[in-house]
């Protein structure tokens, strides 16, 4: 498990890194074994063999394998015991590879910014990690394979006619819902799609393939009326204002917390270092929970509605803003801070006079961007009862009112695009 | 013209500045065995000791990286020294509580190579910020207080003294380097310190401007009895302005004496065998 001395790293850390490399190597081989057994063997090879065994003209060799293993893709399960055993076997191999100190694990553990001075060393390092490279590619390949199997990628389905037809109908209905251009757009689209359908039918007839001719699209487009727009727009405004409230009230809280979340302002005493840790912990925890989960929590707590949505967005905005604000603080020029500290000013005065002037502009940019994000999120938040246009959207979608869904989507797009445009312009102007 | 400096010796905010310094009346600052090890392990100061007589103009010289800036910052504990003793006006700096440190720092001004002004604020605010120390006892460090009228007048007066009264409402980043350094000196004037620490105050200025800035430091020193400790790179400036010299090399003091005592041999000792003196006027 020794990592040779020509691999550069901080010497005091070498021991720890060797151990972490060893452990990573064990885990990596456990993973390789598990994926190979569960995905490659169980999900790919065995069903393939089984296919030969239950074919119209079964093959004897396949049948014997399947019966020997007592495998049936419909019932058999990959047991926890099997998984444990496979993993253990892989881990055992990992110990073997780990002891050489040449595998993927030690390579990951040895990564550092340190440069090699001696050109001969860089060649030795290249050779040293040849196993690690192969292992890395193996892990990547197995992971892609697993992802492929788990997401059930079936490219064939993308060109199936039934699916394409439903897709076409949906697109026509959504297009019909668009404000102003809805009717002509959907009529135009229908014309194009019908052209494609006729073409397909003609080709099928020509090559004499069996089956009926595909029906033409025939959608009756009834656009949303004015009262529907009234309702939708008022819901949309609810979302925009909800986002504004969430941002507006998050700013002062984040402003204060950011000073405690910045490393360079919290070095001087135990109390401030503690505050730093607490603030960091708080923002990491709250940020890692999606606003949509917060919306669920708040709507259970105070009831479904825009207030719950606003609170959810606010909690999330506070922690995101604190993170961005305090990074801005950490990037300020320390000079004025030193100068004011030297006059005997208190920490608060130093923060106010030396730090704040340097961060107002970045703060403004972050805040406008946050509002922009919040407007986008506010439409989503509505899906789980956080008020606003999202609620309406999920309702119409549940009733399969696709024309209305098209209308709502267009409105949301319009607002999000406007906000995005404005916030980009403002940020550009103040930078 | 400047009632600002009517008193030769400024009092501590607690009013008992020199009551305890009767035994060493003439020594304002004493360093004994001051050490500084940075968190990354760099030993920047390896036990530096010297006395600073009250009213002197002490130049600190030495190669880049010899620890000059570190030493100045250790004196007012902008960087915490890790060993040794610093006595200012008979008071041990290292034993001060955070609050007392604020109080003592009000008597120690500081001027920097890169001026360290609040760039986005106007010159007047920058000058007034020299008084923030006196606000430090107020709730929220005095940030919600308006500046007293008298202070604003004094700040204008200080700007007049350094020759830029017309720049009061210009943003600090709109000034030239020399003007910015003069604002920094005006800030120190507002602070009315007994001791001024100047870290290469003229290193980023042209020779003419350098001389005028040095003149202001000299004025502070001679007219107002401010003791000055100044890091300098040019021996010509040292000879012209300093009354005392301390030289550092690799974090150790290698020379202490008068400017005229720096002989060719000392010069080679301080700056290395290859060094040659450059002139600046
Ligand atoms: N914040 C810091 N952290 C770690 N090491 C530092 C730090 N500041 C300075 N040092 C190191 O301490 C030593 C002394 O630095 P210092 O800045 O005091 O030198 P100096 O004499 O002022 O040099 P110069 O003439 O270039 O300003 C140098 O080796 C420097 O690398
Ligand atoms: Mg320096």
């Amino acid at each position: 498990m020794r990592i040779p001395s020509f691999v550069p790293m901080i010497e005091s850390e070498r021991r720890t890194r060797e151990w972490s490399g060893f452990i990573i190597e064990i885990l990596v081989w456990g993973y390789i074994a598990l994926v190979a057994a569960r995905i490659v063997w169980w999900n790919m090879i065995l069903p393939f063999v089984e296919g030969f065994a239950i074919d119209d003209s079964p093959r004897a060799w396949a049948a014997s394998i399947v019966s020997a293993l007592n495998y049936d893709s419909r019932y058999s399960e990959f047991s926890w015991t099997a998984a444990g055993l496979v993993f253990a076997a892989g881990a055992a191999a990992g110990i073997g590879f780990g002891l050489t100190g040449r595998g993927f694990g030690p390579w990951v553990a040895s990564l550092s910014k340190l440069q090699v001075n001696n050109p001969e060393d860089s060649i030795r390092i290249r050779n040293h990690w040849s196993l690690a490279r192969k292992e890395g590619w193996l892990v990547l390949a197995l992971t892609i394979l697993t992802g492929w199997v788990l997401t059930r990628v079936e490219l064939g389905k993308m060109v199936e006619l039934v699916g394409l037809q439903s897709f076409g109908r949906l697109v026509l209905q959504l297009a019909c819902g668009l404000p102003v251009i809805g009717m002509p757009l959907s009529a135009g689209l229908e014309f194009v799609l019908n052209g494609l359908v006729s073409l397909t039918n003609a080709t099928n007839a020509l090559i004499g393939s069996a089956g009926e001719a595909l029906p033409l699209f025939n959608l009756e487009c009834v656009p949303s009326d004015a009262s529907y727009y009234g309702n939708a727009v008022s819901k949309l405004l609810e979302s925009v204002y909800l986002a504004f409230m969430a941002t507006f009230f998050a700013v002062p809280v984040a402003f204060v917390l950011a000073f405690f979340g910045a490393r360079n302002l919290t070095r001087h005493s135990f109390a401030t270092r503690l505050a730093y840790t607490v603030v960091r912990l708080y923002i990491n925890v709250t940020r890692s929970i999606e606003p949509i989960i917060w919306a669920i929590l708040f709507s259970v707590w105070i009831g479904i509605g825009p207030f719950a949505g606003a609170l959810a967005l606010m909690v999330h905005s506070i922690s995101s803003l604190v993170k961005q604000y305090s990074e801005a603080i950490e990037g300020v020029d320390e000079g004025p801070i030193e100068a004011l500290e030297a006059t005997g000013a208190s920490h608060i005065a130093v923060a106010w006079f030396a730090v704040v002037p340097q961060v107002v502009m970045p703060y403004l940019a972050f805040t406008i961007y946050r509002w922009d994000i919040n407007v986008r999120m506010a439409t989503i938040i509505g899906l789980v009862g956080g008020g606003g246009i999202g609620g309406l959207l999920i309702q119409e979608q549940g009733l399969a009112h696709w024309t209305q869904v098209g209308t709502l989507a267009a409105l949301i797009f319009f607002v999000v695009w406007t906000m995005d445009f404005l916030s980009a312009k403002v940020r550009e102007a103040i930078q | 013209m400047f009632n600002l400096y009517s008193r030769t010796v400024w009092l501590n905010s607690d009013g008992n500045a020199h009551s305890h310094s009767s035994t060493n009346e003439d020594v304002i600052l004493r360093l004994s065995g001051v050490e500084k090890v940075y968190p990354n392990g760099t030993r920047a100061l390896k036990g530096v000791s010297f006395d600073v007589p009250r009213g002197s103009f002490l130049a600190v010289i030495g190669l880049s990286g010899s620890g000059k800036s570190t030493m100045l910052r250790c004196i007012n504990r902008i960087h915490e020294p890790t060993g040794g003793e610093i006595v200012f006006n008979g008071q041990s700096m290292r034993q001060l509580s955070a609050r007392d440190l604020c109080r003592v720092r009000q008597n120690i001004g500081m001027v920097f190579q890169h001026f360290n002004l609040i760039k986005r604020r106007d010159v007047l605010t920058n000058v007034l910020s020299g008084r923030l120390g006196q606000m430090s006892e107020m709730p929220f460090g005095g940030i919600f207080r308006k500046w007293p009228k008298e202070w604003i007048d004094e700040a204008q007066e200080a700007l007049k003294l350094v020759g830029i009264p017309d720049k009061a409402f210009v943003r600090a980043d709109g000034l030239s380097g020399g003007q910015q350094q003069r604002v920094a000196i005006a800030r120190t004037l507002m602070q009315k310190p007994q001791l001024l620490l100047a870290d290469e105050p003229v290193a980023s200025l042209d020779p003419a401007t350098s001389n005028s800035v040095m003149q202001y430091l000299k004025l502070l020193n001679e007219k107002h009895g401010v003791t000055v400790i100044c890091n300098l790179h040019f021996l010509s400036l040292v000879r012209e302005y300093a009354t005392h010299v301390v030289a550092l090399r690799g974090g150790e003091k290698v020379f202490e004496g008068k400017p005229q005592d720096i002989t060719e041999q000392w010069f080679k000792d301080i700056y290395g065998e290859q060094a040659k003196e450059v002139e600046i006027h």
Side-chain angles (χ1 to χ4, degrees), chain A residues 333 335-336 338-346 348-349 352-353 357-358 361, chain B residues 73 76 78 102 105 108 112 116-118 120 129 132-133 140-141 143 187 191:
Chain A
D333 174 16
E338 267 189 354
L340 293 196
E341 271 179 2
T343 67
S346 69
I348 297 181
W352 183 255
F353 284 98
Q358 297 191 54
M361 283 301 155
Chain B
R73 282 168 174 71
N76 60 0
I78 294 285
C102 274
R105 274 180 184 168
I108 307 180
F112 305 84
N116 292 0
L117 300 182
I118 312 165
R120 292 174 160 276
S129 70
L132 279 175
F140 297 105
I143 59 172
R187 174 168 69 189
Q191 197 187 337

Side-chain angles (χ1 to χ4, degrees), chain B residues 38 40 42 44 62-71 79 200 233:
Chain B
Y38 279 108
N40 68 3
T42 311
L63 281 175
S64 255
S66 57
K68 304 183 296 296
S69 304
T70 305
M71 192 190 72
H79 289 179
E200 296 177 27
H233 270 313

Side-chain angles (χ1 to χ4, degrees), chain B residues 15-207:
Chain B
N16 57 358
H18 312 305
S19 54
H20 38 214
S21 53
S22 52
T23 48
N24 40 11
E25 191 71 55
D26 51 342
V27 173
I28 186 170
L29 181 76
R30 164 168 291 162
L31 274 68
S32 16
V34 173
E35 289 174 20
K36 172 68 186 177
V37 183
Y38 279 108
N40 68 3
T42 311
R43 289 189 64 204
L45 295 178
K46 305 169 184 163
V48 174
S49 313
F50 58 87
D51 286 357
V52 184
R54 190 179 298 280
S56 60
F57 193 120
L58 176 87
V60 182
I61 57 175
L63 281 175
S64 255
S66 57
K68 304 183 296 296
S69 304
T70 305
M71 192 190 72
L72 284 198
R73 282 168 174 71
C74 280
I75 291 174
N76 60 0
R77 281 176 57 191
I78 294 285
H79 289 179
E80 284 296 338
T82 47
E85 180 74 283
I86 296 164
V87 179
F88 173 68
N89 272 336
Q91 216 164 12
S92 167
M93 292 293 287
R94 293 194 63 206
Q95 256 117 60
L96 295 173
S97 68
R99 171 165 299 215
D100 290 335
L101 181 62
C102 274
R103 217 170 280 155
V104 173
R105 274 180 184 168
Q106 292 171 29
N107 299 315
I108 307 180
M110 200 158 185
V111 175
F112 305 84
Q113 176 182 354
H114 298 292
F115 329 124
N116 292 0
L117 300 182
I118 312 165
K119 294 212 175 58
R120 292 174 160 276
R121 290 283 179 269
D122 59 21
V123 164
L124 193 66
T125 310
N126 271 286
V127 176
L128 283 163
S129 70
R131 280 284 164 86
L132 279 175
Q134 295 188 21
M135 303 259 237
S136 65
E137 310 276 305
M138 293 177 185
F140 297 105
I143 59 172
F144 296 123
R145 288 285 304 267
K146 279 185 69 178
W147 301 109
K149 180 78 181 63
E150 316 82 87
W151 289 15
I152 296 179
D153 293 342
E154 279 182 58
Q156 302 272 21
E157 200 66 34
L159 281 175
K160 214 177 281 172
L161 198 70
V162 295
I164 42 170
D166 52 325
K167 299 287 185 190
F169 298 103
V170 177
R171 246 172 63 158
D173 51 5
L175 299 184
S176 72
Q179 290 169 331
Q180 290 195 39
Q181 196 59 295
R182 285 191 267 171
V183 174
I185 291 174
R187 174 168 69 189
T188 307
L189 285 173
M190 274 308 271
Q191 197 187 337
K192 298 185 178 175
Q194 302 173 22
L195 174 66
L196 176 64
L197 308 173
D199 189 7
E200 296 177 27
V202 296
S204 42
L205 302 177
D206 65 74

